[in-house]
Amino acid sequence: MNAKTKPGTAATTAETTGTVRLTMAQALVRYLTAQMTEVDGKTVPLFAGCWAIFGHGNVVGMGEALYQVREQLPTYRSHNEQAMAHSAVAYAKACGRRRMMAVTSSLGPGATNMITAAAVAHVNRLPVLFLPGDIYANRRPDPVLQQIEDFSDGTVSANDCFRPVSRYFDRITRPEQIIPALERAMTVLTDPSECGPVTLALCQDVQAEAYDYPLSFFVPRIRIARRPRPDLNELAAAVTALTRAKSPVIVAGGGVLYSGASAALTALCEASGVPVVETHAGKSSLPDGHPLNLGAIGVTGTTAANTAAQNADLILAVGTRLADFVTGSRALFAHPGRRIIQLNTASFDAGKHGALPLVADAREGLAALTQATEGWKAPDTWTKKAKTSKAAWQKEAVTFTDAPKGNAKPGDSHVIGAVQRAIGSEAVIVGAAGGMPGELHKLWQAGKPGTYHLEYGYSTMGYEIAGGIGVKLARPNEEVVVMVGDGSYLMMNSEVATSIMMGQKLIIVLIDNRGYACINRLQRATGGESFNNLLDDAWHVEMPRIDFVAHAQSMGADAVHCGSVAELEKALTAAKAAKRTQVIVIDTDPLIATKAGGAWWDVAVPEVSVRKDVQAARKTYEERMKLQKVGE
């Protein structure tokens, strides 16, 4: 075996000729250690580590292989396979897709536990390498422990569940197959358009089989994501549409952050006077305090952003899928003559909503638009109106985030205000499904790019704490604040113990509203009665009395319960100075939600019901459906 080639240098002939005999698993991990990238001018490993929970399907093959490279490719242990994969997803997102992680599990429940996280990565276009163990390729001991047998297809295993949630899927049934499989995997993982999860299902007998691998396969390679520039014809059409607009708006999606295009976005909006609105994935593209950043758009949007979106005759969507929460289920963009430009690296997304496609990297595309529209400005009345609307929203938002008067229980918005005041805008806020993301989208004041980390593409309960660990690994010098409801905490809290074990300090704000309050509010808003969401309204023999403080302490965290917003702010201030994970619990009112802002969301109401409230909600629903613009 030859010495490693220094990253960024050419390999010698001796280092690229000949072979080395390795097991398939050893070849896989050695290949991963040879993949490099550049971040801020420095060459660093592309794979920052591998998360692993070992079982009989991967402990012998992958376990032995990972042990041999543990210094170059750290192996991290979690307490749940879904959680460790969430951490890998969050790490990739926090790194702007420039770096990533692998995850490996045994076959059976270990593998299928990761399906949800694979879907998260797929929806959010994030790179994660899934390496689940698989059944025996030689089939000698069939059926093996944990094997799912298909009565009509002997090639099927439980890992086939990964197919619809992987951008590339392969099953390795011979050791030499790992060569083309890894090359294809890297193409997908590092491609700005195709980016997403890759699954290589590793037959457990093949993991241990040896092959004479060419040394050239392990030569270090620096992989830097390409930045495609716009087609000149598409650029010309976009420039024409933009410069003819009287009330244009820019929608900043996650692609702005993945591309590192915040400066380019700022340059275009300041040169042209076009206001910016932000999706969940795109929030923090501009600092919240920027006068042309109108804030969140859509169902969870601000009054300023949604008013602009309703009146916009041109929508420049940058790096976004324009999903239903952004478009108000295709009813928000109400201007009768409105046009949409989709600036996106993926042609699949660029063609949505009948848009003018502008297929390009976000940074390159924005720079090209800025140059091509030099000297053009949106009408001054439109820009001034946007700034005035932003200032008005800022004043209004304070009324929702100020501490409640008297002894009233706080709502999510009051908790957000306390975190904002005590922690500040430079911390990274992590959250996921439930009511908190909607309030954060409207009300959190992100201070710089990448400080707002919400998983809302797949709306995944249980992501929060595991995701916080991934963010902390990616941004170790920043305060990471996880905001999680009691319902989501109860789904996946084991990663509190993981954060302690790994020395990754998190500040976890646990909002106890005794149930799934967000869905309860949706249930009531569509004419239903509170049913099976809050603990009080669920079937029970005895009401649960959960001591979240004691629970968190039992896993090694410091924990405290706060009886008021004032106590919460004091606890948060103390938490900043702490060295280990802090869990701060506060009781909240499940019915309080910010009424201002927001747009309609298409949630189908039953056509037939004996209840008058549901009948009334159905009539409203049918009226709103008429506003949807489909196929225009």
Side-chain angles (χ1 to χ4, degrees):
M1 299 177 66
N2 295 291
K4 291 186 176 181
T5 304
K6 184 179 179 181
T9 64
T12 66
T13 302
E15 292 167 332
T16 59
T17 58
T19 61
V20 58
R21 192 160 183 81
L22 300 169
T23 68
M24 182 272 282
Q26 291 165 355
L28 189 161
V29 298
R30 180 169 172 178
Y31 178 89
L32 295 185
T33 64
Q35 308 309 303
M36 313 298 289
T37 190
E38 287 186 359
V39 177
D40 298 329
K42 297 180 180 178
T43 300
V44 296
L46 180 65
F47 286 89
C50 180
W51 290 90
I53 292 181
F54 291 131
H56 72 277
N58 70 336
V59 69
V60 180
M62 283 297 293
E64 169 64 13
L66 286 167
Y67 178 79
Q68 292 179 14
V69 298
R70 62 193 182 280
E71 298 300 327
Q72 304 100 307
L73 184 70
T75 297
Y76 300 118
R77 182 194 180 282
S78 182
H79 287 86
N80 181 286
E81 291 89 356
Q82 182 184 147
M84 71 181 186
H86 284 327
S87 295
V89 172
Y91 180 87
K93 181 173 183 176
C95 289
R97 305 197 304 190
R98 289 167 177 79
R99 300 186 72 193
M100 62 194 72
M101 289 181 163
V103 289
T104 181
S105 73
S106 185
L107 72 163
T112 53
N113 276 352
M114 299 194 296
I115 300 294
T116 295
V120 171
H122 194 288
V123 167
N124 291 286
R125 317 291 168 83
L126 292 166
V128 180
L129 179 58
F130 289 89
L131 302 169
D134 211 314
I135 56 178
Y136 272 68
N138 63 30
R139 303 190 186 180
R140 290 177 182 175
D142 280 10
V144 298
L145 179 65
Q146 299 182 331
Q147 180 173 348
I148 299 293
E149 293 182 278
D150 188 301
F151 292 1
S152 62
D153 187 345
T155 67
V156 167
S157 85
N159 285 332
D160 286 280
C161 296
F162 280 97
R163 290 182 183 272
V165 292
S166 298
R167 297 290 278 177
Y168 176 73
F169 176 93
D170 204 346
R171 178 173 285 113
I172 309 304
T173 60
R174 290 181 59 87
E176 62 268 35
Q177 290 175 353
I178 200 66
I179 298 174
L182 281 171
E183 290 173 345
R184 293 168 185 165
M186 292 310 305
T187 298
V188 172
L189 290 167
T190 60
D191 185 270
S193 174
E194 296 295 318
C195 188
V198 168
T199 300
L200 302 181
L202 310 177
C203 292
Q204 57 181 304
D205 53 336
V206 180
Q207 291 178 39
E209 291 179 6
Y211 180 75
D212 294 321
Y213 291 93
L215 284 169
S216 58
F217 184 55
F218 306 111
V219 173
R221 179 173 175 182
I222 298 177
R223 296 181 181 270
I224 301 173
R226 66 177 62 88
R227 291 187 178 276
R229 296 179 179 179
D231 173 81
L232 294 180
N233 290 327
E234 290 185 351
L235 178 62
V239 168
T240 298
L242 181 59
T243 54
R244 289 178 178 175
K246 303 300 181 185
S247 52
V249 163
I250 299 172
V251 180
V256 175
L257 295 170
Y258 297 157
S259 175
S262 291
L265 174 64
T266 303
L268 176 60
C269 81
E270 291 182 349
S272 63
V274 178
V276 174
V277 298
E278 297 176 318
T279 71
H280 262 297
K283 186 174 172 71
S284 77
S285 293
L286 290 184
D288 183 82
H290 195 289
L292 283 173
N293 181 2
L294 305 187
I297 183 176
V299 177
T300 54
T302 70
T303 303
N306 283 345
T307 299
Q310 287 172 340
N311 295 314
D313 63 352
L314 188 286
I315 297 97
L316 172 58
V318 185
T320 171
R321 301 181 299 145
L322 287 184
D324 63 342
F325 252 63
V326 176
T327 67
S329 298
R330 295 187 181 238
L332 179 57
F333 302 138
H335 192 288
R338 64 102 175 92
R339 300 194 74 181
I340 298 175
I341 300 169
Q342 279 269 47
L343 169 53
N344 205 295
T345 54
S347 56
F348 180 85
D349 292 320
K352 290 176 179 174
H353 295 268
L356 288 172
L358 186 58
V359 179
D361 168 74
R363 193 181 75 182
E364 293 293 328
L366 288 168
L369 284 171
T370 302
Q371 183 178 6
T373 58
E374 185 177 2
W376 172 80
K377 280 185 173 288
D380 192 52
T381 52
W382 173 249
T383 302
K384 286 182 177 179
K385 185 176 181 180
K387 290 181 177 180
T388 300
S389 182
K390 166 63 184 282
W393 168 254
Q394 286 179 311
K395 290 181 180 179
E396 185 178 12
V398 173
T399 65
F400 304 117
T401 56
D402 277 346
K405 292 181 172 59
N407 296 319
K409 272 189 179 180
D412 291 351
S413 62
H414 303 121
V415 174
I416 290 170
V419 176
Q420 189 88 63
R421 292 187 293 271
I423 302 294
S425 297
E426 299 298 302
V428 183
I429 292 296
V430 180
M436 184 56 74
E439 299 289 76
L440 283 168
H441 196 204
K442 284 181 188 177
L443 301 171
W444 184 256
Q445 299 166 18
K448 62 183 180 181
T451 55
Y452 181 84
H453 185 114
L454 269 281
E455 195 301 283
Y456 215 60
Y458 201 54
S459 188
T460 311
M461 295 182 74
Y463 175 91
E464 297 92 337
I465 300 173
I469 293 173
V471 173
K472 189 67 175 180
L473 285 168
R475 308 177 78 149
N477 297 322
E478 299 189 41
E479 204 73 74
V480 176
V481 180
V482 174
M483 301 190 72
V484 59
D486 59 300
S488 199
Y489 178 89
L490 287 172
M491 283 191 177
M492 192 169 294
N493 50 61
S494 58
E495 301 322 290
V496 171
T498 302
S499 74
I500 297 294
M501 179 177 71
M502 295 181 64
Q504 301 298 315
K505 177 211 167 181
L506 305 175
I507 298 177
I508 300 171
V509 182
L510 201 170
I511 300 95
D512 185 5
N513 50 37
R514 293 186 59 75
Y516 306 137
C518 175
I519 295 301
N520 177 67
R521 291 194 294 268
L522 176 62
Q523 191 174 46
R524 292 167 66 94
T526 51
E529 286 288 344
S530 292
F531 170 63
N532 201 50
N533 285 311
L534 300 181
L535 295 177
D536 289 343
D537 304 314
W539 190 93
H540 58 271
V541 173
E542 181 179 342
M543 267 311 227
R545 291 186 291 273
I546 303 163
D547 187 337
F548 288 108
V549 170
H551 183 266
Q553 289 173 339
S554 75
M555 290 188 285
D558 297 331
V560 63
H561 182 276
C562 298
S564 67
V565 168
E567 288 183 19
L568 175 61
E569 289 191 46
K570 290 180 181 178
L572 286 164
T573 300
K576 288 174 67 176
K579 302 298 182 183
R580 61 195 292 123
T581 291
Q582 307 289 299
V583 177
I584 304 171
V585 184
I586 185 167
D587 299 335
T588 60
D589 187 327
L591 298 181
I592 295 177
T594 303
K595 301 299 182 184
W600 178 65
W601 186 30
D602 188 341
V603 179
V605 179
E607 281 193 68
V608 178
S609 175
V610 297
R611 300 185 64 256
K612 290 184 178 180
D613 288 346
V614 175
Q615 295 168 9
R618 176 68 193 189
K619 288 182 180 179
T620 301
Y621 175 70
E622 290 174 352
E623 289 300 314
R624 294 292 181 89
M625 287 177 68
K626 295 175 184 178
L627 302 175
Q628 289 178 302
K629 295 175 174 59
V630 181
E632 294 184 14

